mmCIF file with all atom_site columns, all heavy atoms in Angstrom:
data_model
loop_
_atom_site.group_PDB
_atom_site.id
_atom_site.type_symbol
_atom_site.label_atom_id
_atom_site.label_alt_id
_atom_site.label_comp_id
_atom_site.label_asym_id
_atom_site.label_entity_id
_atom_site.label_seq_id
_atom_site.pdbx_PDB_ins_code
_atom_site.Cartn_x
_atom_site.Cartn_y
_atom_site.Cartn_z
_atom_site.occupancy
_atom_site.B_iso_or_equiv
_atom_site.pdbx_formal_charge
_atom_site.auth_seq_id
_atom_site.auth_comp_id
_atom_site.auth_asym_id
_atom_site.auth_atom_id
_atom_site.pdbx_PDB_model_num
ATOM 1  N N   . GLU C 1 111 ? -36.227 21.212 -19.358 1.00 0.00 ? 111 GLU C N   1
ATOM 2  C CA  . GLU C 1 111 ? -37.538 20.708 -20.063 1.00 0.00 ? 111 GLU C CA  1
ATOM 3  C C   . GLU C 1 111 ? -38.219 19.653 -19.217 1.00 0.00 ? 111 GLU C C   1
ATOM 4  O O   . GLU C 1 111 ? -39.445 19.679 -19.125 1.00 0.00 ? 111 GLU C O   1
ATOM 5  C CB  . GLU C 1 111 ? -37.137 20.146 -21.399 1.00 0.00 ? 111 GLU C CB  1
ATOM 6  C CG  . GLU C 1 111 ? -38.289 19.682 -22.229 1.00 0.00 ? 111 GLU C CG  1
ATOM 7  C CD  . GLU C 1 111 ? -37.869 19.224 -23.573 1.00 0.00 ? 111 GLU C CD  1
ATOM 8  O OE1 . GLU C 1 111 ? -36.675 19.030 -23.841 1.00 0.00 ? 111 GLU C OE1 1
ATOM 9  O OE2 . GLU C 1 111 ? -38.768 19.057 -24.552 1.00 0.00 ? 111 GLU C OE2 1
ATOM 10 N N   . LEU C 1 112 ? -37.424 18.688 -18.671 1.00 0.00 ? 112 LEU C N   1
ATOM 11 C CA  . LEU C 1 112 ? -38.086 17.689 -17.898 1.00 0.00 ? 112 LEU C CA  1
ATOM 12 C C   . LEU C 1 112 ? -38.682 18.267 -16.564 1.00 0.00 ? 112 LEU C C   1
ATOM 13 O O   . LEU C 1 112 ? -39.740 17.873 -16.143 1.00 0.00 ? 112 LEU C O   1
ATOM 14 C CB  . LEU C 1 112 ? -37.043 16.679 -17.455 1.00 0.00 ? 112 LEU C CB  1
ATOM 15 C CG  . LEU C 1 112 ? -36.574 15.713 -18.566 1.00 0.00 ? 112 LEU C CG  1
ATOM 16 C CD1 . LEU C 1 112 ? -35.341 14.852 -18.134 1.00 0.00 ? 112 LEU C CD1 1
ATOM 17 C CD2 . LEU C 1 112 ? -37.577 14.829 -19.003 1.00 0.00 ? 112 LEU C CD2 1
ATOM 18 N N   . ALA C 1 113 ? -37.964 19.162 -15.953 1.00 0.00 ? 113 ALA C N   1
ATOM 19 C CA  . ALA C 1 113 ? -38.377 19.747 -14.715 1.00 0.00 ? 113 ALA C CA  1
ATOM 20 C C   . ALA C 1 113 ? -39.718 20.415 -14.823 1.00 0.00 ? 113 ALA C C   1
ATOM 21 O O   . ALA C 1 113 ? -40.514 20.491 -13.900 1.00 0.00 ? 113 ALA C O   1
ATOM 22 C CB  . ALA C 1 113 ? -37.381 20.800 -14.128 1.00 0.00 ? 113 ALA C CB  1
ATOM 23 N N   . ALA C 1 114 ? -40.060 21.103 -16.029 1.00 0.00 ? 114 ALA C N   1
ATOM 24 C CA  . ALA C 1 114 ? -41.340 21.708 -16.214 1.00 0.00 ? 114 ALA C CA  1
ATOM 25 C C   . ALA C 1 114 ? -42.457 20.853 -15.940 1.00 0.00 ? 114 ALA C C   1
ATOM 26 O O   . ALA C 1 114 ? -43.507 21.483 -15.476 1.00 0.00 ? 114 ALA C O   1
ATOM 27 C CB  . ALA C 1 114 ? -41.347 22.344 -17.615 1.00 0.00 ? 114 ALA C CB  1
ATOM 28 N N   . GLY C 1 115 ? -42.482 19.576 -16.138 1.00 0.00 ? 115 GLY C N   1
ATOM 29 C CA  . GLY C 1 115 ? -43.612 18.728 -15.908 1.00 0.00 ? 115 GLY C CA  1
ATOM 30 C C   . GLY C 1 115 ? -43.506 18.076 -14.538 1.00 0.00 ? 115 GLY C C   1
ATOM 31 O O   . GLY C 1 115 ? -44.374 17.351 -14.125 1.00 0.00 ? 115 GLY C O   1
ATOM 32 N N   . ARG C 1 116 ? -42.394 18.274 -13.808 1.00 0.00 ? 116 ARG C N   1
ATOM 33 C CA  . ARG C 1 116 ? -42.277 17.503 -12.572 1.00 0.00 ? 116 ARG C CA  1
ATOM 34 C C   . ARG C 1 116 ? -41.991 18.373 -11.340 1.00 0.00 ? 116 ARG C C   1
ATOM 35 O O   . ARG C 1 116 ? -41.917 17.863 -10.251 1.00 0.00 ? 116 ARG C O   1
ATOM 36 C CB  . ARG C 1 116 ? -40.970 16.588 -12.831 1.00 0.00 ? 116 ARG C CB  1
ATOM 37 C CG  . ARG C 1 116 ? -41.321 15.601 -13.937 1.00 0.00 ? 116 ARG C CG  1
ATOM 38 C CD  . ARG C 1 116 ? -40.005 14.758 -14.173 1.00 0.00 ? 116 ARG C CD  1
ATOM 39 N NE  . ARG C 1 116 ? -40.285 13.853 -15.312 1.00 0.00 ? 116 ARG C NE  1
ATOM 40 C CZ  . ARG C 1 116 ? -39.354 12.912 -15.852 1.00 0.00 ? 116 ARG C CZ  1
ATOM 41 N NH1 . ARG C 1 116 ? -38.087 13.036 -15.427 1.00 0.00 ? 116 ARG C NH1 1
ATOM 42 N NH2 . ARG C 1 116 ? -39.623 12.159 -16.693 1.00 0.00 ? 116 ARG C NH2 1
ATOM 43 N N   . ILE C 1 117 ? -41.658 19.684 -11.481 1.00 0.00 ? 117 ILE C N   1
ATOM 44 C CA  . ILE C 1 117 ? -41.197 20.532 -10.396 1.00 0.00 ? 117 ILE C CA  1
ATOM 45 C C   . ILE C 1 117 ? -42.263 20.727 -9.434  1.00 0.00 ? 117 ILE C C   1
ATOM 46 O O   . ILE C 1 117 ? -43.490 20.896 -9.824  1.00 0.00 ? 117 ILE C O   1
ATOM 47 C CB  . ILE C 1 117 ? -40.690 21.795 -10.959 1.00 0.00 ? 117 ILE C CB  1
ATOM 48 C CG1 . ILE C 1 117 ? -39.972 22.546 -9.828  1.00 0.00 ? 117 ILE C CG1 1
ATOM 49 C CG2 . ILE C 1 117 ? -41.744 22.689 -11.625 1.00 0.00 ? 117 ILE C CG2 1
ATOM 50 C CD1 . ILE C 1 117 ? -38.983 23.701 -10.323 1.00 0.00 ? 117 ILE C CD1 1
ATOM 51 N N   . ALA C 1 118 ? -41.959 20.633 -8.175  1.00 0.00 ? 118 ALA C N   1
ATOM 52 C CA  . ALA C 1 118 ? -43.037 20.925 -7.070  1.00 0.00 ? 118 ALA C CA  1
ATOM 53 C C   . ALA C 1 118 ? -43.199 22.359 -6.775  1.00 0.00 ? 118 ALA C C   1
ATOM 54 O O   . ALA C 1 118 ? -42.241 23.090 -7.100  1.00 0.00 ? 118 ALA C O   1
ATOM 55 C CB  . ALA C 1 118 ? -42.629 20.061 -5.922  1.00 0.00 ? 118 ALA C CB  1
ATOM 56 N N   . GLU C 1 119 ? -44.255 22.766 -6.189  1.00 0.00 ? 119 GLU C N   1
ATOM 57 C CA  . GLU C 1 119 ? -44.489 24.183 -5.751  1.00 0.00 ? 119 GLU C CA  1
ATOM 58 C C   . GLU C 1 119 ? -43.467 24.636 -4.877  1.00 0.00 ? 119 GLU C C   1
ATOM 59 O O   . GLU C 1 119 ? -43.061 25.881 -5.030  1.00 0.00 ? 119 GLU C O   1
ATOM 60 C CB  . GLU C 1 119 ? -45.956 24.233 -5.128  1.00 0.00 ? 119 GLU C CB  1
ATOM 61 C CG  . GLU C 1 119 ? -47.063 24.190 -6.124  1.00 0.00 ? 119 GLU C CG  1
ATOM 62 C CD  . GLU C 1 119 ? -47.048 25.473 -7.155  1.00 0.00 ? 119 GLU C CD  1
ATOM 63 O OE1 . GLU C 1 119 ? -46.498 26.521 -6.616  1.00 0.00 ? 119 GLU C OE1 1
ATOM 64 O OE2 . GLU C 1 119 ? -47.529 25.291 -8.168  1.00 0.00 ? 119 GLU C OE2 1
ATOM 65 N N   . GLU C 1 120 ? -42.957 23.847 -3.961  1.00 0.00 ? 120 GLU C N   1
ATOM 66 C CA  . GLU C 1 120 ? -42.014 24.362 -2.955  1.00 0.00 ? 120 GLU C CA  1
ATOM 67 C C   . GLU C 1 120 ? -40.648 24.616 -3.667  1.00 0.00 ? 120 GLU C C   1
ATOM 68 O O   . GLU C 1 120 ? -39.926 25.506 -3.308  1.00 0.00 ? 120 GLU C O   1
ATOM 69 C CB  . GLU C 1 120 ? -41.915 23.456 -1.736  1.00 0.00 ? 120 GLU C CB  1
ATOM 70 C CG  . GLU C 1 120 ? -41.501 21.977 -2.117  1.00 0.00 ? 120 GLU C CG  1
ATOM 71 C CD  . GLU C 1 120 ? -42.701 21.021 -2.305  1.00 0.00 ? 120 GLU C CD  1
ATOM 72 O OE1 . GLU C 1 120 ? -43.818 21.584 -2.579  1.00 0.00 ? 120 GLU C OE1 1
ATOM 73 O OE2 . GLU C 1 120 ? -42.511 19.857 -2.073  1.00 0.00 ? 120 GLU C OE2 1
ATOM 74 N N   . GLU C 1 121 ? -40.389 23.898 -4.774  1.00 0.00 ? 121 GLU C N   1
ATOM 75 C CA  . GLU C 1 121 ? -39.188 24.037 -5.532  1.00 0.00 ? 121 GLU C CA  1
ATOM 76 C C   . GLU C 1 121 ? -39.367 25.329 -6.421  1.00 0.00 ? 121 GLU C C   1
ATOM 77 O O   . GLU C 1 121 ? -38.291 26.067 -6.518  1.00 0.00 ? 121 GLU C O   1
ATOM 78 C CB  . GLU C 1 121 ? -38.894 22.844 -6.495  1.00 0.00 ? 121 GLU C CB  1
ATOM 79 C CG  . GLU C 1 121 ? -38.569 21.647 -5.623  1.00 0.00 ? 121 GLU C CG  1
ATOM 80 C CD  . GLU C 1 121 ? -38.459 20.347 -6.498  1.00 0.00 ? 121 GLU C CD  1
ATOM 81 O OE1 . GLU C 1 121 ? -39.416 20.209 -7.413  1.00 0.00 ? 121 GLU C OE1 1
ATOM 82 O OE2 . GLU C 1 121 ? -37.465 19.566 -6.352  1.00 0.00 ? 121 GLU C OE2 1
ATOM 83 N N   . ILE C 1 122 ? -40.499 25.666 -6.813  1.00 0.00 ? 122 ILE C N   1
ATOM 84 C CA  . ILE C 1 122 ? -40.702 26.909 -7.598  1.00 0.00 ? 122 ILE C CA  1
ATOM 85 C C   . ILE C 1 122 ? -40.471 28.056 -6.641  1.00 0.00 ? 122 ILE C C   1
ATOM 86 O O   . ILE C 1 122 ? -39.799 29.009 -6.885  1.00 0.00 ? 122 ILE C O   1
ATOM 87 C CB  . ILE C 1 122 ? -42.184 26.980 -8.114  1.00 0.00 ? 122 ILE C CB  1
ATOM 88 C CG1 . ILE C 1 122 ? -42.483 25.988 -9.196  1.00 0.00 ? 122 ILE C CG1 1
ATOM 89 C CG2 . ILE C 1 122 ? -42.550 28.404 -8.587  1.00 0.00 ? 122 ILE C CG2 1
ATOM 90 C CD1 . ILE C 1 122 ? -41.783 26.225 -10.571 1.00 0.00 ? 122 ILE C CD1 1
ATOM 91 N N   . THR C 1 123 ? -40.939 27.966 -5.358  1.00 0.00 ? 123 THR C N   1
ATOM 92 C CA  . THR C 1 123 ? -40.859 29.022 -4.437  1.00 0.00 ? 123 THR C CA  1
ATOM 93 C C   . THR C 1 123 ? -39.226 29.119 -4.163  1.00 0.00 ? 123 THR C C   1
ATOM 94 O O   . THR C 1 123 ? -38.769 30.267 -3.947  1.00 0.00 ? 123 THR C O   1
ATOM 95 C CB  . THR C 1 123 ? -41.482 28.654 -3.067  1.00 0.00 ? 123 THR C CB  1
ATOM 96 O OG1 . THR C 1 123 ? -42.882 28.474 -3.385  1.00 0.00 ? 123 THR C OG1 1
ATOM 97 C CG2 . THR C 1 123 ? -41.336 29.606 -1.999  1.00 0.00 ? 123 THR C CG2 1
#
Side-chain angles (χ1 to χ4, degrees):
E111 181 178 12
L112 288 174
R116 300 171 179 177
I117 193 166
E119 281 298 329
E120 57 267 26
E121 290 173 317
I122 293 288
T123 300

